[in-house]
């Protein structure tokens, strides 16, 4: 069972690049890595998903090293609206297990 | 159109009561989930259904019973509510399976007095 570990909180400033790392030492062969964003009083929202190497979309990049024991969510040039909790999820594609991380509370300051 | 909807948004009730939370998705997805988020913001999966079949059933009290009348609906019934059941409950759906992108509902805040 791939347990995930994330920093509890991070602070940054507008315009900076923010990197949030998630550790998942026991990740299984069939597991994908997914990141979600959650604003207060809302449900989590999908940001990005990957299996290995690097994935980039219009809002973020996801870096996964060859051993897949960790992953890093990179948010380029953050703004105040990026203040949220970010969850790392390791999902067994055989749909037998889903583990959410404890979440990282990201605070962006002007 | 709301992709994943839940009703009610807020639910306040007394200990010992029985209550239900409804969830509907209009995305045509095959898999639906129920999550519990406690006051510390830990998000824990409770159940998952794929085409009306239970595929994930985490260790939750048997007072919690999911019901899926069709693949667009997954309701959560809770018997004999306890103080510790107070939390936000999220419904979600994904196209095929757990590793796919999940779309979450707005949540139902349950308060047990």
């Amino acid at each position: 069972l791939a347990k995930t570990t994330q920093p509890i909180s991070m602070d940054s400033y507008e315009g900076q690049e923010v990197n949030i790392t998630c550790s998942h030492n026991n990740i299984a062969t069939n597991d994908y890595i997914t990141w979600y964003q959650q604003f207060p009083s809302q449900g989590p929202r999908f940001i990005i998903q990957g299996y290995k190497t690097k994935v980039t979309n219009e809002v973020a990049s996801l870096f996964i090293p060859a051993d897949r024991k960790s992953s890093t969510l990179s948010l380029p040039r953050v703004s105040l609206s990026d203040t949220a909790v970010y969850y790392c999820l390791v999902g067994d594609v055989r749909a037998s297990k889903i583990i959410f991380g404890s979440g990282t509370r990201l605070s962006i300051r002007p | 159109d709301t992709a994943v909807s839940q009703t009610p948004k807020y639910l306040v009730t007394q200990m010992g009561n029985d209550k239900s939370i409804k969830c509907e998705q209009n995305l045509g997805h095959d898999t639906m989930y129920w999550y519990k988020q406690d006051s510390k913001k830990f998000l824990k999966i409770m159940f998952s259904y794929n085409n009306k079949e239970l595929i994930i059933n985490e260790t939750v009290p048997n007072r919690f019973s999911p019901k899926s009348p069709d693949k667009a609906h997954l309701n959560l019934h809770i018997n004999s509510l306890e103080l510790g059941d107070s939390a936000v409950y999220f419904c979600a759906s994904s196209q095929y399976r757990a590793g796919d992108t999940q779309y979450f509902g707005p949540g139902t805040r349950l308060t047990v007095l």
Side-chain angles (χ1 to χ4, degrees):
Chain A
L1 202 58
K3 180 181 176 183
T4 60
T5 304
Q6 307 174 228
I8 295 174
S9 63
M10 294 181 67
D11 295 326
S12 188
Y13 293 90
E14 282 189 295
Q16 300 295 306
E17 178 185 78
V18 171
N19 296 311
I20 306 174
T21 297
C22 179
S23 297
H24 26 80
N25 291 321
N26 297 321
I27 190 168
T29 303
N30 291 326
D31 285 344
Y32 277 73
I33 301 156
T34 313
W35 284 80
Y36 287 82
Q37 175 191 56
Q38 187 179 25
F39 297 114
S41 302
Q42 294 185 26
R45 185 180 70 171
F46 171 84
I47 301 176
I48 197 166
Q49 184 181 69
Y51 183 78
K52 61 181 179 180
T53 64
K54 176 184 174 182
V55 180
T56 298
N57 62 22
E58 63 276 8
V59 297
S61 294
L62 178 60
F63 298 92
I64 305 170
D67 64 7
R68 305 201 325 125
K69 293 183 182 299
S70 66
S71 59
T72 299
L73 173 71
S74 181
L75 304 173
R77 300 182 61 78
V78 293
S79 63
L80 295 177
S81 63
D82 291 316
T83 294
V85 178
Y86 292 81
Y87 291 95
C88 167
L89 165 66
V90 175
D92 185 338
V93 296
R94 293 166 298 181
S96 60
K97 287 295 180 186
I98 305 172
I99 304 292
F100 266 86
S102 54
T104 298
R105 185 174 299 277
L106 176 64
S107 298
I108 305 300
R109 304 178 182 184
Chain B
D1 283 344
T2 303
V4 182
S5 59
Q6 297 178 227
T7 54
K9 187 169 177 63
Y10 300 96
L11 185 54
V12 181
T13 188
Q14 300 287 331
M15 273 197 308
N17 285 348
D18 303 339
K19 291 293 180 185
S20 293
I21 307 172
K22 296 184 177 181
C23 178
E24 177 181 1
Q25 55 96 1
N26 62 7
L27 297 167
H29 287 169
D30 287 344
T31 304
M32 296 185 72
Y33 314 81
W34 276 109
Y35 286 86
K36 178 181 180 181
Q37 187 168 46
D38 60 24
S39 58
K40 295 184 178 180
K41 303 299 183 184
F42 290 120
L43 199 60
K44 296 181 180 178
I45 189 167
M46 301 173 69
F47 304 101
S48 176
Y49 271 73
N50 178 272
N51 276 318
K52 297 171 52 180
E53 179 184 352
L54 181 65
I55 56 172
I56 295 177
N57 185 6
E58 293 297 313
T59 306
V60 299
N62 56 16
R63 298 181 294 103
F64 291 79
S65 54
K67 286 185 171 49
S68 182
D70 54 61
K71 75 173 192 177
H73 296 84
L74 181 61
N75 303 323
L76 184 64
H77 188 75
I78 315 170
N79 290 327
S80 302
L81 278 156
E82 300 178 356
L83 294 177
D85 297 332
S86 295
V88 180
Y89 292 84
F90 288 101
C91 176
S93 73
S94 65
Q95 186 167 16
Y96 298 120
R97 55 199 175 211
D100 294 335
T101 301
Q102 294 184 37
Y103 295 81
F104 283 78
T108 296
R109 181 174 294 278
L110 171 65
T111 303
V112 182
L113 304 175

